[in-house]
Amino acid sequence: MVRFGGASTRTGRAEGGTEPVRSRERFLEGGPVEAGVRTPISSSWERCRSLGLSPDGSDLPFREDFDTEARIIRAALPVLDRLQYRFAGSQMNICVADASGTVLLRRFGEPSLARSLPPIQRVPGFVFAEQFAGTNGIGLALAERQLIRVYGAEHFAERAQGSACRALPVRDPLSGRIEGVLCFGYPRTFDDPALATVIRKAARAIERRLLRHSSARERALLREYLDTEAEAAVGRHHTVGLDELALGQHSRDRAVLVEKATELISRAQRAAVHVPLSDGRRVTLLCRPMTGAGGVEGLAIEAVLPGPPPRHPLLVPRQTDESSLCPAEPAASRAAPPSGAVAVAASGRAAPGGSGGTCLGAEDGHPAFAPPSRGLLLVGEPEVARHALAARRRLELLSEASTRIGTTLDVRRTALELAETAVPRLADYVTIDLPEAVLRGEESADPHGDLRRAVVHGIRDDCPFHPVGKQVDYGPTTPQLRCLTRGEPVLEPDLKAAAGWLAHDPEHTRELLTRVHSLIAVPLVARGVVLGVAAFYRGRDPAPFGDDDRSLAQELASRAALSIDNARRYTRERTMVLALQRSLLPHGLPEQDAVEVAHRYLPAESDVGGDWYDVIPLSGTRIGLMVGDVVGHGMLSAATMGRLRTAARSFAELDFPPDEVLIHLDNLVGRLDREDPAADEADIIGATCLYAVYDPTTQRCTMARAGHPPPAVVRPDGMVSFPELPAGPPLGLGGLPFEAVETDLPEGSQLVLYTDGLIEDRHRDVDDVLDQLREALAHPEHTPEEACQVVLHSVAPAHPHDDIALLVARTHALDPDRIAAWDLRPDPAVVANVRALAMRQLADWELDEAAFAAELILSELVTNAIRHGSGPVRVRLLHDRALICEVSDTSNTAPHLRRAASTDEGGRGLFLVAQLAQSWGTRYLPQGKVIWAECGLDGL
């Protein structure tokens, strides 16, 4: 039983598990570290191997010149005496080492234990840093900078195999810097989990004494200042407190003065600077070196404010006792601007907690002149002020990071924002490595081995880091892989001593060491997903990174990781929507000779919308051209676009004219909106559309639009116009008609259809953009592909906020020699004449093999038109990619294909037409209809 804090603690064998003897043996034989070994231990073993240490080595460096009056010794002595009393009678070995691993103090639970141990374990002065002693409590606590437990065979050295230890770094509460290590050593059979609590309490007690020691130094400086001012006050009458400087209610002025005073103290130089106030006045800050009791060196900052004669008596502070200068709570818990690291801040009196001052005035109560108001602002030591200034700047950096990191939903841009925020205020260089899967918006299956350099940013561009895009492979002992494995940041204050980092790529690391000397590797983890690793390097500042820098880097990385994960998730969703969008757009252009077509689809940077385009072959060699835009963005818009495009194509293939196609689409959109019970006002379905039908036999184009931007028409002579096409309401409003307009398009004209993302932008005027479009298209020599390229390059916004669909079609005309037409009387006797005329025409076109099918088709269609139709009959043959037979009349009655019964005398004509033709159908005209059939020419 051992005692600590008045309570008894049972000692005994550690609970759970045994020492990794076999793992250590395999490792020493040259094998890899097994998975069962704890990560800090395995990393330390790897470092020991890279350093070339021998487990049999027993010699450690010994220092006789260590400072016996060091702060850590004075703070730890009473605590170690109490620990020795609590562990009296046990085999506990208690020691305190400094930040370099040199043992400064030792205590033993059983005094006789000191006589039985070798000098290395009982005499202060031996250095237990990891690079000399291998894996041990003190060295590993300094390397890992946290509470460490090393048990039995986890030690690297053979001499320590029977021992266990726990070690914890001790930090200066003001600076956060590691001042030393508290270590408990004991036989491994006496390990107990309760020792973790004991060592934490003891370390905190030492840290509190370090803080009180700092407070005492500050009090000594303040006492010296007050004593000096009290002696010099007679005849001066103008020493006042900060509040007496009549700063008014401007708290910002006070903060600026204190921050500047802290900066002056941190420089440790005599100086006088002018600080402007918000009301236009200027305060002069005087920095005066001083030495307090016991030789404490510091500086006092006095504020001098010129102004009108004061209307109140002036205060001269008188000496106060120590109790009034030091409140009961520790100095670190007092609110002191800009942080708890500032030594002393004066308020309305000469010093915090002071007992006031003596009231003095001129003999008549009204002085003839008023000397400048002068008062104590701050007293402190340069080192403390530097830490206070650094703390304030860290807070400012974190505040800036909250607004600077994550401004976009782009993974690479967010990673770059992290680097730009950290350079140069935290690090000189930053590299960020992300798995390829994360860059695509996915979760990486192997985040440790699939890393690619995503960002390299620094104060200079010539630092020899791996370039962006290169795959980066880290060894098991490198700080980057260690931090990814543990999920915690890894600090390497001195890269020259970082064996794992040096051994990974010796040639490259030697080159880097000419530019950098300190490293912090931080994992980028958000919502349990490993996103990559960020490495912060320092090279210009001679001071290495410390624990405060590591904490700051971790906080920056955590904020950036969340933003990167948001961007990753957005990228994944956007990729899915974009894949859906592209799958619903045409995958290729139909083979036809009516127009030469080029198209482009450019998704918005922020989100994917519902823009679409289509090229639809129609009967009679005609071609349908369509563009549309569904309201909104995201998956709903993309899905709605797919439904509308499918429906629009179906309506078009039924040979409805453009205005009727829009009517059907309008009804469909209204129905979709009504059928969605979960839709609210933000999810209202709407769309715009422009549909044009071009006929190469007449070189006429019929167009109609529903709330869509008008097309551009480029004439063969280069003139660009925007036809006066009735706008029509957007699809989905219902009840309003659409109007179609016909226009002539000579051969070689270009018809340009586009969505509003091309011309509408919050930073540009639409009329100006249309002028740009007119200028870009005024080149009739450009092919449609070239026209698309020029338009997107010169007219489209650099960062589109909406999708852009662009369709450019150059018109062709069907050669008149490939068109044959005859007007017939509605007389059955003309059927034989039509067959003869058609056979001669097919012979002229050298289509004799299609004559049999064409003869039967024409006979049936002309017979039906004469028998069931009305008015004159017109027959037309078109020789294009297929042979097209058309028969028109003035009747609106359309034939219907049906299966004739065995007893029927007729009804088999259309069945024969359907069997002989590739396709057939009916097209309605303003005065009648056209029945057409296509015969394939593939075998001709």
Side-chain angles (χ1 to χ4, degrees), residues 759-820:
I759 61 173
E760 293 183 3
D761 184 74
R762 68 187 67 175
H763 305 297
R764 303 187 298 173
D765 183 75
V766 174
D767 292 335
D768 294 338
V769 178
L770 290 177
D771 289 340
Q772 294 178 11
L773 180 60
R774 191 191 309 272
E775 182 179 352
L777 293 174
H779 298 278
E781 72 279 4
H782 285 170
T783 65
E785 282 289 339
E786 293 171 342
C788 284
Q789 192 68 25
V790 170
V791 168
L792 289 184
H793 178 73
S794 60
V795 181
H799 304 283
H801 297 283
D802 194 6
D803 290 18
I804 297 175
L806 178 64
L807 190 64
V808 179
R810 171 175 285 174
T811 62
H812 297 297
L814 186 61
D815 190 343
D817 293 339
R818 287 176 170 258
I819 303 173

Side-chain angles (χ1 to χ4, degrees), residues 360-703:
L360 299 176
E363 293 181 1
D364 57 358
H366 300 282
F369 66 93
S373 300
R374 176 178 181 141
L376 175 64
L377 179 60
L378 214 60
V379 172
E381 295 182 82
E383 184 69 17
V384 176
R386 278 192 286 270
H387 289 302
L389 204 59
R392 181 181 182 86
R393 289 172 178 170
R394 284 193 292 269
L395 291 175
E396 292 174 347
L397 182 58
L398 288 175
S399 176
E400 179 182 336
S402 63
T403 59
R404 189 171 180 181
I405 299 175
T407 60
T408 67
L409 287 171
D410 181 82
V411 173
R412 286 186 173 87
R413 178 60 198 168
T414 304
L416 179 60
E417 288 171 348
L418 167 61
E420 291 174 343
T421 301
V423 175
R425 296 164 66 178
L426 172 62
D428 296 325
Y429 300 94
V430 175
T431 63
I432 299 177
D433 305 317
L434 303 175
E436 184 68 26
V438 171
L439 295 172
R440 296 193 305 266
E442 305 167 3
E443 292 187 15
S444 176
D446 182 21
H448 297 174
D450 183 28
L451 292 172
R452 291 190 178 274
R453 182 59 46 85
V455 171
V456 177
H457 183 68
I459 56 177
R460 297 178 59 179
D461 297 330
D462 57 351
C463 199
F465 291 105
H466 292 307
V468 172
K470 179 179 175 60
Q471 185 170 2
V472 184
D473 297 319
Y474 291 114
T477 61
T478 56
Q480 288 87 344
L481 197 62
R482 283 159 52 201
C483 83
L484 283 174
T485 303
R486 302 184 203 173
E488 300 176 350
V490 173
L491 169 62
E492 292 289 358
D494 185 5
L495 286 176
K496 293 181 180 178
W501 184 77
L502 292 169
H504 169 61
D505 188 354
E507 182 177 352
H508 186 231
T509 52
R510 279 197 300 270
E511 189 176 4
L512 279 177
L513 280 176
T514 62
R515 306 290 180 86
V516 299
H517 60 74
S518 191
L519 164 66
I520 302 173
V522 186
L524 299 172
V525 182
R527 302 183 181 98
V529 178
V530 178
L531 303 173
V533 59
F536 301 83
Y537 294 88
R538 179 171 288 176
R540 181 180 54 179
D541 188 345
F545 283 126
D547 286 310
D548 286 342
D549 299 314
R550 179 178 62 174
S551 299
L552 178 58
Q554 183 178 16
E555 179 66 23
L556 290 175
S558 297
R559 299 187 182 194
L562 189 60
S563 297
I564 290 175
D565 190 50
N566 290 337
R568 179 191 67 83
R569 290 167 175 252
Y570 168 77
T571 301
R572 180 185 61 189
E573 297 297 328
R574 184 176 186 273
T575 301
M576 293 172 57
V577 176
L578 187 57
L580 173 63
Q581 170 87 339
R582 293 192 181 280
S583 69
L584 296 175
L585 291 173
H587 290 192
L589 296 178
E591 295 182 355
Q592 47 80 35
D593 296 323
V595 290
E596 178 187 353
V597 180
H599 57 86
R600 293 288 189 276
Y601 171 72
L602 185 65
E605 284 192 350
S606 58
D607 206 349
V608 179
D611 291 14
W612 87 89
Y613 61 88
D614 211 344
V615 179
I616 309 167
L618 301 175
S619 64
T621 69
R622 297 172 308 136
I623 195 75
L625 305 172
M626 181 180 291
V627 292
D629 182 3
V630 176
V631 173
H633 297 84
M635 187 72 73
L636 176 62
S637 296
T640 303
M641 178 275 292
R643 301 169 74 178
L644 289 184
R645 175 180 172 256
T646 302
R649 190 178 185 92
S650 300
F651 295 145
E653 289 177 343
L654 290 174
D655 273 327
F656 290 136
D659 53 337
E660 292 190 25
V661 169
L662 295 183
I663 290 174
H664 288 293
L665 286 177
D666 181 57
N667 294 332
L668 174 63
V669 172
R671 187 167 61 252
L672 292 176
D673 195 32
R674 292 191 300 271
E675 290 175 353
D676 187 1
D680 54 21
E681 293 184 0
D683 297 327
I684 292 177
I685 298 175
T688 65
C689 184
L690 169 63
Y691 181 40
V693 176
Y694 172 70
D695 188 345
T697 63
T698 62
Q699 301 179 40
R700 292 186 66 81
C701 182
T702 305
M703 297 178 284

Side-chain angles (χ1 to χ4, degrees), residues 864-865 868-870 889-896 922 924 928-931:
N864 282 343
H868 303 290
S870 63
D889 59 59
T890 59
S891 171
N892 290 324
T893 303
H896 297 282
T922 302
Y924 289 94
K929 66 179 182 297
V930 176
I931 302 175

Side-chain angles (χ1 to χ4, degrees), residues 697-768:
T697 63
T698 62
Q699 301 179 40
R700 292 186 66 81
C701 182
T702 305
M703 297 178 284
R705 62 183 178 129
H708 201 84
V713 174
V714 184
R715 302 288 176 175
D717 59 2
M719 185 181 71
V720 180
S721 63
F722 298 93
E724 292 293 335
L725 187 61
L731 300 176
L733 295 184
L736 297 175
F738 299 95
E739 185 177 352
V741 173
E742 284 192 1
T743 183
D744 292 325
L745 292 182
E747 184 174 12
S749 300
Q750 287 189 355
L751 186 62
V752 181
L753 287 70
Y754 51 89
T755 55
D756 58 2
L758 177 67
I759 61 173
E760 293 183 3
D761 184 74
R762 68 187 67 175
H763 305 297
R764 303 187 298 173
D765 183 75
V766 174
D767 292 335
D768 294 338

Side-chain angles (χ1 to χ4, degrees), residues 70-80 205-207 209-210 213:
R71 293 178 62 212
I72 186 67
I73 292 180
R74 296 200 303 272
L77 274 173
V79 179
L80 261 63
I206 298 175
E207 290 172 350
R209 290 186 55 81
L210 286 171
H213 177 67

